[in-house]
Amino acid sequence: ARLAILLSGRGSNMLSLVQATQTGILKDLAEVAVVFSNKPEAPGLELAAAQGCPVASLPSQGRKREAFDAEAAVLLQQYQPDFVVLAGYMRILSPAFIQPFAGRILNIHPADTHQHQGLHAYEWAFDNKLTETKITVHLVDEGLDTGPILAQESVDLRGAETLAEVERRGLAVEHQLYAQTLAELIKTKQNVMSSAAETSRSEN
Ligand code: GRF
């Protein structure tokens, strides 16, 4: 499967996904078609280029949401992604973006999306002294962190005394869960395709 990975910042999830395609759980299942950013100066873009990934960017600053999203969708379609994988992509997507990739856009949110949406999820967990938080991988719809949940994994926060420690534990789970969820999704899709092919062969 071809992945378009979208980011706006640091890119640690992108990096773990790239490594999973190179030597990990996504090897032989996925390749990175492009790493795209709405921020040309995002550190994650440089990191992706250093990994040998194709990179592309389109500055979103000062642009109207619909117009930017339509242009970004056209750009990304040139890379023919099977999945659009949001990895710290700090934008709410409009229908102009979602429609061409409907049902194929994934996001990772560092909290249970039923309990917390939007920014600062680790701060929320830390400030509320949660002893556990949940990392969520979900399909993206037009809301903010509202799409159908694909996978969740809990993070044990007992004894985490600083926000940095909460983030460190959470990110370790994020990095593993995102690649694992994608691998399962791709395998499921492959099985569906091959059993459909089987059915049509036996019908002919
Ligand atoms: C991660 O915590 C992710 O869950 C959230 O944004 C952060 C991105 O971090 N959506 P990174 O750029 O992948 O390091």
Side-chain angles (χ1 to χ4, degrees):
R2 296 173 59 76
L3 310 181
I5 303 177
L6 277 53
L7 57 79
S8 303
R10 178 176 61 185
S12 73
N13 276 284
M14 175 281 300
L15 191 60
S16 83
L17 289 169
V18 169
Q19 285 165 349
T21 66
Q22 290 168 345
T23 55
I25 193 169
L26 288 169
K27 192 170 186 297
D28 303 325
L29 283 177
E31 60 181 307
V32 178
V34 66
V35 175
F36 170 83
S37 185
N38 65 313
K39 296 203 182 291
E41 71 287 358
L45 266 191
E46 232 176 278
L47 215 53
Q51 292 292 313
C53 298
V55 296
S57 66
L58 194 61
S60 58
Q61 208 184 4
R63 300 280 312 271
K64 285 229 164 68
R65 183 177 305 279
E66 290 278 336
F68 173 82
D69 278 2
E71 203 179 315
V74 168
L75 188 156
L76 287 171
Q77 275 173 309
Q78 292 168 7
Y79 294 90
Q80 303 186 308
D82 297 300
F83 295 102
V84 174
V85 183
L86 309 186
Y89 188 62
M90 308 301 275
R91 292 181 63 79
I92 296 173
L93 302 174
S94 59
F97 188 93
I98 293 181
Q99 254 160 30
F101 306 113
R104 298 187 287 136
I105 311 174
L106 280 72
N107 183 43
I108 188 160
H109 182 67
D112 182 343
T113 48
H114 290 136
Q115 290 184 22
H116 178 280
Q117 303 82 31
L119 294 173
H120 310 306
Y122 286 131
E123 283 90 329
W124 166 77
F126 182 66
D127 291 345
N128 288 289
K129 303 188 171 52
L130 301 189
T131 53
E132 181 199 40
T133 196
K134 280 201 174 86
I135 306 299
T136 306
V137 176
H138 64 96
L139 289 175
V140 173
D141 60 19
E142 282 152 37
L144 175 61
D145 301 324
T146 50
I149 292 174
L150 296 173
Q152 282 190 319
E153 189 159 325
S154 70
V155 184
D156 185 353
L157 296 180
R158 286 173 301 177
E161 282 176 0
T162 60
L163 175 59
E165 175 62 11
V166 168
E167 281 181 354
R168 193 190 64 76
R169 292 189 195 181
L171 279 167
V173 173
E174 288 192 43
H175 295 161
Q176 171 268 327
L177 184 67
Y178 216 178
Q180 184 190 319
T181 307
L182 262 164
E184 277 159 21
L185 195 63
I186 294 165
K187 281 189 208 154
T188 306
K189 196 180 153 195
Q190 285 176 349
N191 288 340
V192 169
M193 306 280 270
S194 71
S195 56
E198 196 59 41
T199 309
S200 84
R201 255 201 303 283
S202 62
E203 279 170 356
N204 288 328

